Amino acid sequence: MRHAVVIGASVSGLLAAAALSRIAERVTVLDRDRLPGEDVHRRGTAQSRHAHGLLARGLEVMELLLPGLTVELMERGAFGGDLQADCRWINEGRRLAPAPGRMPGLLVSRLLLEGQIRRRVSALPGVEVAGESQVADLTHSGDWVTGVRLVSGETVSAGLVVDASGRGSRMPAWLGQLGFPAPAEERVEIDLTYTTRVFRRRPDDLAGDPVVIMAATRAVPRAGVALAMEGDRWIVTIGGYGDAPPADLDSFVAYARSLPAPDIHELVSRAEPLDEGTHHRTPASVRRRYERLPRFPRGLAVVGDAVCAFNPIYGQGMSVAAVEALRLGEWARRDRPARELFRSIARVVDAPWDIVAANDLRLPGVRGRRTAKIKLVNAYLERFHRAAEHDTELGRRFLRVANLLDPPSALLRPACLFRVLRGGSDVVRGDTGDAVPAGEPSYPARHQN
């Protein structure tokens, strides 16, 4: 392949370019924004001001695509930890039993992560990352896409065009202009609004734990996350399904008190605020079923949020995009029809989509198709989380699924089912041999680093 064009210079587009750079003579990444040399917020990444999670599988794949990235990020202030031992995962208001889980994680702000990926990708041989280059439509010859036309009127020819433009992708409309059908959409209407504030971080905050991830419950459809990040700061995002957390400090702290567990409120009620806060609203999780289309143009691909835009509170988007970039590179090397790529991407998306949709459909007010399977799985997971409060092996297995290392079906294997059923006994032991009375809540106990 002589030339590939990628639409969008966010994380998804940059990782796609990294994968394509191994097989294309030239790769051009086009973005409508002016792309700064420094790590600052820009219009095209509205969520950069909010907390972002980098799951274990995402970190693993980014390191494959850009070797040495983890070390470079840590040299710029990011820091690592064990995803089970060092993080407070709170489901159904219960903290997952902490223990060494052999799953490395990285705490890094979205600005630093995207900025460093952009610097690395821009330095790859044959790759150009161009800002202030908004794509107006596609050029084509029959059923082949031949490039893109910019708003400026300039035409950029390419043997492959990849749409990584995110939630606002215009691909369905562009397909219609070319005489192709648009993909069917699946939607889960979540009406999620969240607010983020940044605080100064002190060594004794949360007894040294650098992460709190707190899921909404049916009784309290509010969630939150607090992540330590470079510069001795906390980024704290709290949100509600159907209601909006206020940004002023007193109201933000009061809202945090209403979350399913006290950890985040404990933090923000004592920490020094460093900004005024910012809001974001996500009306729905949306999946476009490109793999079901009977026809699709040659020389064209779609990845990232343009295929599936998840509820961002789960922190899956960047990690899924990383795995999709791998699949894109494998597909482009073999020069196969687009349906093969979309089927491969669908297999990547299936597990995180099932996790997000099922969890959100537990909550009142969320609109979507509640199947008998979803109801049964959610009932099982409620019992699972009660057992995982004291069973470290269940905690490890849950985190492997949450971090996209294992499929959701791993939680239904006989060994897991047995441990969940055993969770009702007087004492449950993890693989480390620690014994905890099963009826005794884990709060206010804290893991020490």
Side-chain angles (χ1 to χ4, degrees), residues 209-232:
D209 288 342
V211 176
V212 179
I213 298 172
M214 189 180 302
T217 68
R218 285 187 294 175
V220 183
R222 295 178 173 185
V225 59
L227 304 177
M229 61 180 180
E230 64 271 10
D232 293 322

Side-chain angles (χ1 to χ4, degrees), residues 84 97-102 387-388 390-397 400 415-416 418-419 422 428-436:
Q84 186 169 358
R102 301 179 297 282
H390 305 299
D391 188 323
T392 59
E393 174 61 13
L394 284 179
R396 185 187 70 83
R397 293 180 183 225
R400 286 190 61 81
C416 252
F418 173 75
R419 300 183 82 100
R422 194 182 61 167
V428 176
R429 293 182 182 273
D431 281 2
T432 57
D434 52 321
V436 184

Side-chain angles (χ1 to χ4, degrees), residues 13-34:
L14 292 169
L15 294 177
L20 292 172
S21 71
R22 301 178 177 186
I23 56 176
E25 294 179 20
R26 290 194 304 128
V27 180
T28 302
V29 183
L30 303 172
D31 197 278
R32 68 181 185 182
D33 286 355
R34 183 180 68 84

Side-chain angles (χ1 to χ4, degrees), residues 146-420:
T146 58
V148 298
R149 184 177 293 105
L150 305 184
V151 169
S152 65
E154 178 186 356
T155 297
V156 182
S157 299
L160 174 65
V161 174
V162 179
D163 178 16
S165 59
R167 287 176 178 262
S169 168
R170 296 178 59 198
M171 185 57 65
W174 287 342
L175 288 174
Q177 292 170 10
L178 298 179
F180 287 85
E185 282 190 356
E186 293 179 12
R187 296 175 64 89
V188 178
E189 304 288 343
I190 56 177
D191 190 20
L192 173 69
T193 304
Y194 47 91
T195 302
T196 297
R197 293 194 65 131
V198 177
F199 297 85
R200 191 176 309 283
R201 182 177 180 235
R202 301 177 301 182
D204 62 340
D205 287 341
L206 296 177
D209 288 342
V211 176
V212 179
I213 298 172
M214 189 180 302
T217 68
R218 285 187 294 175
V220 183
R222 295 178 173 185
V225 59
L227 304 177
M229 61 180 180
E230 64 271 10
D232 293 322
R233 294 172 297 161
W234 288 104
I235 185 166
V236 180
T237 297
I238 56 177
Y241 293 75
D243 69 332
D248 70 278
L249 182 62
D250 289 344
S251 299
F252 186 89
V253 172
Y255 191 99
R257 186 184 295 116
S258 72
L259 296 176
D263 304 59
I264 293 177
H265 178 258
E266 174 188 317
L267 172 64
V268 299
S269 63
R270 299 172 60 240
E272 175 190 352
L274 297 179
D275 70 353
E276 296 302 316
T278 185
H279 298 286
H280 189 82
R281 179 174 178 266
T282 300
S285 299
V286 181
R287 182 175 184 181
R288 297 186 175 111
R289 306 303 301 236
Y290 283 99
E291 77 278 10
R292 296 178 180 174
L293 288 176
R295 299 169 50 242
F296 195 80
R298 298 296 297 264
L300 183 63
V302 189
V303 296
D305 281 2
V307 172
C308 186
F310 299 95
N311 178 344
I313 206 75
Y314 293 89
Q316 296 173 315
M318 294 190 299
S319 297
V320 170
V323 181
E324 290 179 5
L326 279 184
R327 299 290 183 267
L328 173 70
E330 295 164 358
W331 166 80
R333 181 177 289 106
R334 294 184 293 112
D335 190 26
R336 301 293 296 165
R339 65 176 176 272
E340 293 193 14
L341 171 65
F342 291 132
R343 287 171 183 170
S344 178
I345 286 177
R347 290 191 291 271
V348 173
V349 170
D350 280 343
W353 176 260
D354 287 347
I355 292 169
V356 167
N359 271 282
D360 283 344
L361 287 168
R362 294 175 304 135
L363 307 177
V366 171
R367 298 196 305 278
R369 185 165 171 259
R370 290 172 169 84
T371 64
K373 176 184 174 182
I374 285 176
K375 294 176 182 178
L376 183 63
V377 168
N378 281 335
Y380 169 71
L381 287 177
E382 286 188 17
R383 184 160 184 172
F384 183 101
H385 291 311
R386 288 198 297 270
E389 184 180 13
H390 305 299
D391 188 323
T392 59
E393 174 61 13
L394 284 179
R396 185 187 70 83
R397 293 180 183 225
F398 171 79
L399 291 181
R400 286 190 61 81
V401 171
N403 282 273
L404 308 184
L405 298 170
D406 289 339
S409 59
L411 301 183
L412 298 172
R413 291 172 185 161
C416 252
L417 290 166
F418 173 75
R419 300 183 82 100
V420 170

Side-chain angles (χ1 to χ4, degrees), residues 24-225:
E25 294 179 20
R26 290 194 304 128
V27 180
T28 302
V29 183
L30 303 172
D31 197 278
R32 68 181 185 182
D33 286 355
R34 183 180 68 84
L35 299 175
E38 63 278 9
D39 300 337
V40 296
H41 300 287
R42 59 186 180 90
R43 185 183 63 169
T45 54
Q47 291 194 60
S48 64
R49 298 181 185 275
H50 302 276
H52 279 70
L54 182 54
L55 304 180
R57 179 58 174 157
L59 178 60
E60 183 178 84
V61 173
M62 288 181 190
E63 188 67 26
L64 284 174
L65 292 169
L66 299 168
L69 178 66
T70 303
V71 171
E72 293 167 359
L73 290 168
M74 294 181 75
E75 288 174 347
R76 290 174 175 265
F79 53 98
D82 185 294
L83 287 171
Q84 186 169 358
D86 301 327
C87 303
R88 301 186 186 188
W89 298 81
I90 301 170
N91 298 293
E92 298 301 326
R94 299 166 180 268
R95 183 182 177 182
L96 208 69
R102 301 179 297 282
M103 278 176 281
L106 190 70
L107 285 165
V108 57
S109 69
R110 168 63 184 261
L111 286 184
L112 174 55
L113 178 63
E114 183 176 315
Q116 188 60 19
I117 292 175
R118 186 168 62 244
R119 284 184 283 272
R120 283 291 306 274
V121 171
S122 298
L124 292 172
V127 176
E128 178 188 6
V129 181
E132 298 180 300
S133 302
Q134 184 171 352
V135 174
D137 54 26
L138 305 173
T139 60
H140 69 103
S141 176
D143 287 352
W144 281 85
V145 169
T146 58
V148 298
R149 184 177 293 105
L150 305 184
V151 169
S152 65
E154 178 186 356
T155 297
V156 182
S157 299
L160 174 65
V161 174
V162 179
D163 178 16
S165 59
R167 287 176 178 262
S169 168
R170 296 178 59 198
M171 185 57 65
W174 287 342
L175 288 174
Q177 292 170 10
L178 298 179
F180 287 85
E185 282 190 356
E186 293 179 12
R187 296 175 64 89
V188 178
E189 304 288 343
I190 56 177
D191 190 20
L192 173 69
T193 304
Y194 47 91
T195 302
T196 297
R197 293 194 65 131
V198 177
F199 297 85
R200 191 176 309 283
R201 182 177 180 235
R202 301 177 301 182
D204 62 340
D205 287 341
L206 296 177
D209 288 342
V211 176
V212 179
I213 298 172
M214 189 180 302
T217 68
R218 285 187 294 175
V220 183
R222 295 178 173 185
V225 59

